């Protein structure tokens, strides 16, 4: 059963107050290392305040939004904190997005400024923004696709042809400090979630994210002596909330990396004595296959998070890394991340068998998916989430917000689960039409829409099927237009240029018709899922 938790010092605090708390508590203790640079907790506040002043110097006002489109680096946190603490709303943007996707999110979020890397990054972010307006040569800002955008700011040097892109450093040092935001219930972050239907939606999360992070750290038994090796993307909830905030709220050091490298992991964990690591299942396999692999080098590790709901992945992590403290949990972007988690010292069979205990003041109900009526204890149904951490709503999408958040504040997840006799939550599967690949939610509706732009496609249906390496993967079924001879290879190559790699289906099968429900003509996707598993040789 759930265990007693310590009092949460972040209850009711704003971003500014939360940052002040960790500085007062941990001061000159090292908080972050990245590419040879180190920052103390006091440094974090100094850099966040400088970011606040520079954002204000751009003319950005409280209540306006800015986009952060950058890979893992310290400035990601500085911009996020600096904006949120003065009432500007940061929008974190997936670095894997293709042009139609990042254009949509910048435009839909009404971002008035976008912050990108300059030269030297793995991707030409500034160039792609300019190219959206076909203005690579002139250097003009891409204003047409982004009617609210007033500035693009590069964190590093950029080629001279981008004459209208502002240098982060050029904004100055000795700038007046704007007033801190004093409303903890205002938006402090927008994180886009594909969810499982329609276009991606920007979940507005309040300042309570610090409170949630601290409670999550309690389940991991974190102390200031702990340190985290962090390489998962900061634009996701696992990286920003369960990574940065969870460990900083407990005074821990974070070893941040832009991208995963198995040699660096082996060396860094061994030399820096990291106690926790957040990893994907594919990272575990790369570590195990590396010539320098030696389980003895990971003696400092206590555990961490494996982004998977499959028990085999946790067992594999324990076997490869020799640390048995890997835990599972359940949560959504819309619930400000975790709403349940196993404790670090729970028996292994419990950590493999369910998704843990509700966090304080995060009540969970199991309801009928159609009527939303409560179901008897122990019965399977839709997971409904209540409490302080339910999102404030989807940005500029009131209809979509009302569809999943009730007037009395309950978030209907679209996931099936059951509360066990012990009070622990067990996630079963998704009610809605979507799946999770490599830890990312994929909307089948979004993928289907992309497929139907391919010449010769009359109709498309996408389903998710189990994948031993990536959790789930997509399979597409397409009906050709007339006698068109559709090529699976050409279709998938086309999709790689249209949508993020993790959204591209593993396979595409041409069919003459879809199985339909009598009377309503709804596609019976469970039958397509069975057909896909049969064709791919996947057992149920």
């Amino acid at each position: 059963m759930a265990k007693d938790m310590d009092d949460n010092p972040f209850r009711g605090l704003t971003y500014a107050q939360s940052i002040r708390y960790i500085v007062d508590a941990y001061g000159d203790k090292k908080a972050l290392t990245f590419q040879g640079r180190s920052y103390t907790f006091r440094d974090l506040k100094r850099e966040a305040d400088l970011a606040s002043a520079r954002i204000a110097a751009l003319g950005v006002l409280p209540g306006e939004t800015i986009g952060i489109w950058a890979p893992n680096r310290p400035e990601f946190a500085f911009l996020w904190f600096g904006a949120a603490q003065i009432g500007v709303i940061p929008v974190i943007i997936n670095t894997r997005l293709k042009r139609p996707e990042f254009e949509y999110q910048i435009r839909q979020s009404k971002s008035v400024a976008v912050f990108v890397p300059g030269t030297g990054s793995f991707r030409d972010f500034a160039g792609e923004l300019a190219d959206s307006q076909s203005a690579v040569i002139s250097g003009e800002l891409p204003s047409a696709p982004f009617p609210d955008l007033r500035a693009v700011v590069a964190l590093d040097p950029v080629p001279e042809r981008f004459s209208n892109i502002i240098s982060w450093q050029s904004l100055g040092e000795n700038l007046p400090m704007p007033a801190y935001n004093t409303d903890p219930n205002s938006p402090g972050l927008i994180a886009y979630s594909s969810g499982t239907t329609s276009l991606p939606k920007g979940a507005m999360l309040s300042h309570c994210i610090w409170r949630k992070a601290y409670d999550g750290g309690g389940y991991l038994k974190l102390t200031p002596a702990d340190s985290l090796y962090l390489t998962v993307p900061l634009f996701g909830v696992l990286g920003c909330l369960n990574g940065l905030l969870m460990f900083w709220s407990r005074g821990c050091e974070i070893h941040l990396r832009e991208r995963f490298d198995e040699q660096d992991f082996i060396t860094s964990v061994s030399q820096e004595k990291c106690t926790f690591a957040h990893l994907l299942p594919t990272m575990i396999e790369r570590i195990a296959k590396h010539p320098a692999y030696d389980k003895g080098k990971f003696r400092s590790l206590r555990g961490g998070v494996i982004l998977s709901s499959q028990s085999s992945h946790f067992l594999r992590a324990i076997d490869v890394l020799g640390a048995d403290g890997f835990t599972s949990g359940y949560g959504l972007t819309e619930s400000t991340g975790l709403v349940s988690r196993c404790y670090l010292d729970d028996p292994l069979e419990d950590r493999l068998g369910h998704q843990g205990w509700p966090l304080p003041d995060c009540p969970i109900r199991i309801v009928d998916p159609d009527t939303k009526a409560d179901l008897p204890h122990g019965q399977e149904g839709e997971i409904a989430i209540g409490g302080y951490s339910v999102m404030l709503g989807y940005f500029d999408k009131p209809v979509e917000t009302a569809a999943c958040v009730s007037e009395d504040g309950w978030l209907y997840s679209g996931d099936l689960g059951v509360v066990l006799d012990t009070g622990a939550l067990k996630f079963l599967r998704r009610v809605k039409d979507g799946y999770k690949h490599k830890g990312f939610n994929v909307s089948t509706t979004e993928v289907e829409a992309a497929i139907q732009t391919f010449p010769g496609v009359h109709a498309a249906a996408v389903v998710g099927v189990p994948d031993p390496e990536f959790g789930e993967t997509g399979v597409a079924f397409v009906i050709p237009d007339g006698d068109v001879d559709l090529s699976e290879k050409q279709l998938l190559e086309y999709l790689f240029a249209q949508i993020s790699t993790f959204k591209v289906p593993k396979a595409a099968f041409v069919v003459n018709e879809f199985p339909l429900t009598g009377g309503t003509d709804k596609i019976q996707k469970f039958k397509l899922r069975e057909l896909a598993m049969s064709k791919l040789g996947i057992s149920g």
Side-chain angles (χ1 to χ4, degrees):
M1 64 178 58
K3 306 172 185 178
D4 291 336
M5 297 281 286
D6 52 352
D7 290 336
N8 193 316
F10 295 93
R11 186 188 299 264
L13 298 190
T14 63
Y15 266 85
Q17 292 169 326
S18 298
I19 295 167
R20 167 51 65 187
Y21 175 87
I22 61 174
V23 173
D24 290 344
Y26 307 113
D28 293 321
K29 183 182 182 297
K30 191 181 294 185
L32 178 67
T33 60
F34 179 81
Q35 295 182 354
R37 291 180 282 165
S38 295
Y39 301 85
T40 67
F41 283 92
R42 202 175 310 281
D43 293 333
L44 295 184
K45 176 170 174 50
R46 185 190 67 248
E47 294 289 348
D49 285 349
L50 176 59
S52 296
R54 287 178 171 176
I55 291 169
L58 286 169
V60 182
L61 301 175
E64 292 188 312
T65 51
I66 63 166
I68 304 174
W69 193 32
N72 290 5
R73 55 188 293 166
E75 292 84 358
F76 189 107
F78 305 155
L79 283 165
W80 169 22
F81 292 179
Q85 70 177 359
I86 61 170
V88 174
I89 309 169
V91 181
I92 52 178
I93 303 173
N94 188 325
T95 58
R96 301 183 182 187
L97 298 184
K98 300 295 174 64
R99 183 189 297 179
E101 298 169 314
F102 73 70
E103 285 184 351
Y104 169 78
Q105 291 191 13
I106 294 171
R107 182 173 60 252
Q108 198 278 326
S109 66
K110 299 182 179 179
S111 291
V112 300
V114 177
F115 295 80
V116 297
T119 55
S121 186
F122 76 93
R123 178 175 183 175
D124 183 12
F125 293 89
E128 291 187 54
L129 273 177
D131 192 44
S132 293
Q133 179 68 1
S134 300
V136 175
I137 302 301
S138 67
E140 296 175 359
L141 289 180
S143 57
F146 315 117
D148 299 286
L149 188 62
R150 304 197 297 264
V152 175
V153 181
L155 302 175
D156 312 300
V158 295
E160 292 183 0
R161 70 177 186 273
F162 299 121
S163 58
N164 287 347
I165 292 182
I166 300 168
S167 164
W168 178 237
Q169 289 74 21
S170 71
L171 292 172
E173 298 287 336
N174 299 314
L175 299 169
M177 183 63 198
Y180 291 129
N181 179 27
T182 60
D183 181 5
N185 297 314
S186 61
L189 182 70
I190 292 178
Y192 273 85
S193 171
S194 292
T196 51
T197 59
S198 70
L199 290 168
K201 301 175 286 290
M204 297 185 291
L205 309 181
S206 77
H207 298 233
C208 76
I209 193 170
W210 287 87
R211 175 182 174 186
K212 175 64 75 69
Y214 184 86
D215 279 340
Y219 282 61
L220 295 183
K221 312 295 182 184
L222 295 181
T223 74
D226 284 307
S227 60
L228 172 69
Y229 183 91
L230 184 61
T231 187
V232 296
L234 293 180
F235 59 71
V237 171
L238 178 61
C240 67
L241 191 157
N242 295 322
L244 291 185
L245 293 196
M246 186 173 293
F247 282 75
W248 280 346
S249 69
R250 295 276 177 167
C252 307
E253 180 180 354
I254 293 176
H255 299 273
L256 182 67
R257 300 292 183 268
E258 179 176 337
R259 309 189 84 176
F260 179 72
D261 179 84
E262 51 269 43
Q263 174 65 73
D264 178 76
F265 176 88
I266 294 170
T267 301
S268 297
V269 170
S270 176
Q271 294 181 354
E272 303 295 339
K273 309 300 180 187
C274 298
T275 57
F276 285 87
H278 292 354
L279 301 167
L280 303 178
T282 51
M283 296 176 183
I284 301 295
E285 297 307 318
R286 288 171 59 180
I287 293 167
K289 295 175 182 178
H290 194 274
Y293 167 72
D294 177 359
K295 188 186 296 186
K297 295 182 179 180
F298 310 130
R299 291 190 182 95
S300 62
L301 278 179
R302 296 206 290 134
V305 175
I306 304 299
L307 194 56
S308 172
S309 59
Q310 296 187 28
S311 59
S312 60
H313 292 155
F314 287 85
L315 292 172
R316 180 60 172 160
I318 292 170
D319 178 56
V320 171
L321 301 177
D324 64 359
F326 289 98
T327 68
S328 60
Y330 172 80
L332 309 169
T333 301
E334 291 86 343
S335 62
T336 315
L338 286 172
V339 292
S340 73
R341 164 165 273 175
C342 290
Y343 292 91
L344 189 73
D345 55 359
D346 279 339
L348 179 60
E349 58 268 25
D350 287 347
R351 285 183 278 128
L352 296 178
H354 56 67
Q355 278 63 52
W357 322 94
L359 270 65
D361 300 316
C362 293
I364 293 173
R365 296 162 50 214
I366 303 299
V367 303
D368 183 285
D370 296 320
T371 67
K372 308 305 181 189
D374 288 307
L375 295 175
H377 186 74
Q379 187 169 331
E380 297 179 6
E382 184 178 6
I383 301 170
I385 302 160
Y388 72 92
S389 67
V390 171
M391 68 172 178
L392 300 173
Y394 291 122
F395 180 81
D396 206 25
K397 287 183 177 288
V399 174
E400 290 83 349
T401 300
C404 67
V405 180
S406 66
E407 291 184 359
D408 56 351
W410 285 91
L411 170 66
Y412 294 104
S413 66
D415 293 331
L416 286 177
V418 60
V419 174
L420 306 177
D421 291 338
T422 59
L425 174 69
K426 182 177 178 64
F427 165 77
L428 299 173
R429 58 191 181 278
R430 289 167 183 80
V431 177
K432 295 180 181 179
D433 191 10
Y435 61 94
K436 184 169 284 190
H437 181 70
K438 293 184 178 180
F440 295 105
N441 286 328
V442 179
S443 165
T444 54
T445 306
E446 182 183 357
V447 179
E448 289 163 356
I451 292 173
Q452 290 181 173
T453 63
F454 184 72
V457 171
H458 171 69
V462 176
V463 296
V465 299
D467 187 294
E469 186 175 9
F470 301 123
E472 293 175 288
T473 194
V475 176
F477 290 88
V478 294
I479 297 176
D481 190 3
D483 296 327
V484 173
D485 185 15
L486 289 176
S487 164
E488 177 190 27
K489 181 175 182 293
Q490 292 178 350
L491 172 59
L492 296 182
E493 288 177 349
Y494 172 80
L495 291 178
F496 273 111
Q498 299 299 312
I499 56 179
S500 301
T501 303
F502 67 87
K503 299 177 185 177
V504 177
K506 180 178 183 177
F509 299 110
V510 176
V511 295
N512 294 322
E513 60 183 6
F514 298 140
L516 303 176
T517 300
T520 62
D521 283 345
K522 292 184 178 179
I523 299 175
Q524 294 179 314
K525 286 200 169 181
F526 70 95
K527 290 186 177 180
L528 290 181
R529 189 173 294 107
E530 292 171 356
L531 178 59
M533 293 173 65
S534 174
K535 286 180 173 291
L536 296 176
I538 300 172
S539 61

